[in-house]
Amino acid sequence: MGVNDEDGRTLAVSLYDITDLENAEPLIARKEVESQWSWSEANWDHRAFSVVEGAVSVQDADGVEETGLVLLPFSGYTESATFTGYRSAVQIFTFSKTTLTARGVMDHPSRVRRGFLADEHVAANLSETSLAFHDVQDPDAPVAISSVELAPNYTDVLIFGEHRVRVKAPRSWDYWSHRQSNAPKLLEVIAANEHPDIALPIATIEINANASIARVGTHIVAMHRGPINSANAQGTLFSVYDLSNPAEPTKVADFRTSETFDSNHEINNYPSFDDCYDCGYRGSPLVPLALEHALVFVEYLPQSKSMGQLEQCRTRARDGKKCEGVTDEDGSFGIPSCTYTFGGITCERLNGGAETCLGSFQGCTVENDKYNCVEVETSTVLQTERECSTHELRRYWSQYRFRVLDLSSPGAPVLRDAVEMPAADEGINVLARAKSLYFSYKRPTTIEGDGRVYSRHFIKQIDLTNTASPSIKAEINVPGRLLEIDGNRAYTQDMVYGERYVETAIARVRIEGDRAILEGRRCFADRRVQSVALDGKGLFLVSHGPMWSHQYGYDVHYEATLNRLSVLDATDANFKEHANVVLDDWASLRQADAGRALFSVGSGLLVFNTSDPKKPFPQAYFPTTGWPGNIVIDGDDILIAAGRYGLYQFSSSVYNLLEREE
């Protein structure tokens, strides 16, 4: 088995006569697979293909009996009278002592890793995703017998009371096989009391392979881009399914529009690596916001404005960090006594205005492996270097526009006129709650005598109770981007200037008419907030880490370099801190629920118990392959659709970690 690169690059099988090792031309025959450009795992692993003598009895074109059989997997580009495109298959060859013949081809949905005889006249072709059997008694025309899917591609799971809907995508293991696939995406209804990875479907809905889905009440809407008429004009196609009785879902509407929406990119055109099933796609799927009676598509219109010329100067300490560890003659390792200066100051001046500076210098002394660092005046730093540059400063932002698909009557969807926000409103995010949108945005502003950049933040309710006539409420000035709306209270997060760094503050406000009354605020000084979550039961969870300069070893206190979880009282005026515990460097707060916080950690899911907010502790760790994507909570169950790795189900009541002794 080798590669013929004389006209293309394709796999070939060669038959040699080696009875005379002195023969300079031992080649008897060479035959290629049905592909102009191809490759195989057999290129480097002999176990990928099979050579079996006495397996068949067929004649070549000249009537010579051939009894040997070769099964050679291949993948590649094929161009022939019967097929053009990317192909994964197993090519059949037969041979005798003097002849070699290329026979039929057994196609496979993904690249085959092993081809072998499972029984007399039965070939088995094994890939990462499926095992297929073919009758090869007639090697020119192999007949498919059966196949079994080994690794279904589960991409999501939705909860419908005592039932769940498992989303099974046809995306192939590799990009090119996917592009050739015409298989549909499946919405499989399963019982909630069975394990979602192995439960047999009660009902199945077939939708377009490239469709995304959204839930509106008891309905599922499938949507994708494609031709909407006989002239192949492009648009968006919607199908609405009623799952009020999940065991017997019914299609209630098909709706087509010439609108394609800016965010509409086919979800499966660029598959992510299956080893990293939440790494995202190159292109964003059509994922709208769901209200109780409508879907809302958010379109982002790019805007920019020149702010003028920005002069930027950076001053750094030249001696840097010079305390290197040494190994003594007795083999002990330590850091000798030394002093060093590190840090820097960045100053900016916009359009010749007032200069603003951020940063500091730290003078450090090391004695017996112990660090002591204090802030020092710039004038005391003996060696510094200064670099200045001037460039145009442009401000970039997105203007938001909303397209509403009215599903008040699910059997008769209506696409309403666009609701466009003013171009000057720099969109940040939008929340969908009940029958309203809450639009969060900002506008740049200035403070007299202060040359630093500032913004004023606002929220605006867009009431879509009547989608034909949206009611846009008055804007409300709030302290930062909107995190959550809970009745007449809003939670926000803002970036604020600290003594040395730009820091994070969180706040709670009470909405009264067109005003926000500040009820609580907390600033995380010298810390970098990573993620926040409300648990719905009065707790505000904040994961935070050191500023970058601290993180890379420039801080004297080890404690300051650790990532931490703060458990705060969301109802307290100062966000009273119930607890502050250390987190792993790779822990990422994903979401919170009553009594628990869920973290992605290295190849797994970590559950923190917060039922006693004063004593949170790591309760359980569940290993996963890759990092968890969307996490769904259904009562006591934690569900993660992990692509080809299956559908994980973990119990939030499990305790599998040792508690620390007091």
Side-chain angles (χ1 to χ4, degrees), residues 242-254:
D242 184 355
L243 277 82
S244 54
N245 179 4
E248 297 181 1
T250 57
K251 180 188 284 191
V252 296
D254 279 320

Side-chain angles (χ1 to χ4, degrees), residues 445-475:
T445 189
T446 58
I447 294 179
E448 186 176 353
D450 191 334
R452 293 177 294 184
V453 176
Y454 287 92
S455 293
R456 298 182 70 203
H457 289 75
F458 303 88
I459 58 174
K460 185 183 294 183
Q461 180 185 0
I462 305 170
D463 187 345
L464 292 167
T465 302
N466 180 1
T467 59
S469 181
S471 175
I472 302 177
K473 308 299 184 182
E475 67 180 15

Side-chain angles (χ1 to χ4, degrees), residues 83-86 108-110 168-172 174-186 206-211 224 268-269 644:
F83 181 86
T84 297
Y86 186 87
H108 204 80
S110 59
K168 180 180 171 183
R171 175 166 61 85
S172 180
D174 57 82
Y175 172 78
W176 289 107
S177 292
H178 156 73
R179 296 292 288 173
Q180 297 296 135
S181 175
N182 293 316
K185 181 177 289 186
L186 303 180
E206 291 189 2
I207 61 176
N208 186 279
N210 289 321
H224 71 280
N268 282 333
N269 273 0
R644 293 287 184 190

Side-chain angles (χ1 to χ4, degrees), residues 236-249:
T236 307
L237 298 84
F238 297 86
S239 295
V240 184
Y241 299 89
D242 184 355
L243 277 82
S244 54
N245 179 4
E248 297 181 1

Side-chain angles (χ1 to χ4, degrees), residues 114-433:
R114 299 289 186 270
F116 57 95
L117 280 183
D119 202 350
E120 185 179 10
H121 306 310
V122 177
N125 301 323
L126 176 66
S127 70
E128 294 282 1
T129 62
S130 62
L131 173 64
F133 298 93
H134 289 75
D135 185 335
V136 294
Q137 189 165 0
D138 179 0
D140 287 313
V143 178
I145 300 173
S146 63
S147 65
V148 58
E149 190 172 22
L150 303 177
N153 182 27
Y154 295 132
T155 60
D156 202 0
V157 59
L158 291 79
I159 309 304
F160 283 83
E162 297 180 356
H163 296 84
R164 295 166 177 168
V165 175
R166 187 173 60 193
V167 182
K168 180 180 171 183
R171 175 166 61 85
S172 180
W173 187 258
D174 57 82
Y175 172 78
W176 289 107
S177 292
H178 156 73
R179 296 292 288 173
Q180 297 296 135
S181 175
N182 293 316
K185 181 177 289 186
L186 303 180
L187 308 181
E188 299 177 335
V189 180
I190 58 175
N193 60 0
E194 296 185 35
H195 196 291
D197 193 48
I198 58 175
L200 296 177
I202 299 170
T204 301
I205 302 171
E206 291 189 2
I207 61 176
N208 186 279
N210 289 321
S212 357
I213 65 169
R215 176 178 178 175
V216 179
T218 59
H219 293 76
I220 287 179
V221 181
M223 61 213 91
H224 71 280
R225 175 181 287 179
I228 58 173
N229 56 34
S230 58
N232 285 327
Q234 294 294 301
T236 307
L237 298 84
F238 297 86
S239 295
V240 184
Y241 299 89
D242 184 355
L243 277 82
S244 54
N245 179 4
E248 297 181 1
T250 57
K251 180 188 284 191
V252 296
D254 279 320
F255 175 73
R256 302 174 182 225
T257 174
S258 59
E259 299 289 340
T260 54
F261 311 104
D262 287 348
S263 61
N264 187 0
H265 297 276
E266 303 299 359
I267 189 170
N268 282 333
N269 273 0
Y270 299 96
S272 65
F273 293 103
D274 287 75
D275 285 341
C276 184
Y277 49 80
D278 73 330
C279 287
Y281 299 90
R282 297 173 225 163
S284 57
L286 181 59
V287 181
L289 300 172
L291 298 175
E292 292 178 352
H293 64 316
L295 292 178
V296 180
F297 300 91
V298 183
E299 296 181 325
Y300 308 96
L301 311 179
Q303 304 287 344
S304 70
K305 178 183 178 181
S306 176
M307 307 300 291
Q309 294 296 307
L310 178 69
E311 180 187 8
Q312 191 173 63
C313 294
R314 296 181 176 89
T315 303
R316 291 184 288 267
R318 291 188 59 187
D319 56 341
K321 186 173 182 179
K322 294 185 176 180
C323 294
E324 302 292 340
V326 296
T327 302
D328 295 332
E329 293 181 357
D330 61 359
S332 61
F333 179 83
I335 298 177
S337 299
C338 69
T339 60
Y340 65 91
T341 304
F342 79 92
I345 295 177
T346 298
C347 297
E348 296 180 342
R349 191 191 307 270
L350 182 62
N351 296 327
E355 184 180 64
T356 60
C357 298
L358 284 175
S360 66
F361 289 102
Q362 299 282 314
C364 297
T365 301
V366 183
E367 290 285 349
N368 299 321
D369 293 346
K370 294 183 179 181
Y371 288 77
N372 181 33
C373 296
V374 294
E375 186 172 339
V376 297
E377 294 293 331
T378 305
S379 59
T380 66
V381 181
L382 298 179
Q383 300 183 60
T384 62
E385 57 183 10
R386 180 179 172 90
E387 296 178 353
C388 295
S389 62
T390 302
H391 62 274
E392 181 188 22
L393 178 65
R394 294 195 68 87
R395 190 178 187 91
Y396 296 89
W397 72 94
S398 292
Q399 177 188 4
Y400 278 36
R401 180 167 62 197
F402 306 110
R403 303 302 308 274
V404 181
L405 181 66
D406 187 347
L407 293 165
S408 299
S409 298
V414 178
L415 184 64
R416 300 299 185 185
D417 292 337
V419 181
E420 190 168 300
M421 298 294 99
D425 293 348
E426 302 183 6
I428 301 174
N429 67 323
V430 59
L431 301 183
R433 297 292 182 268

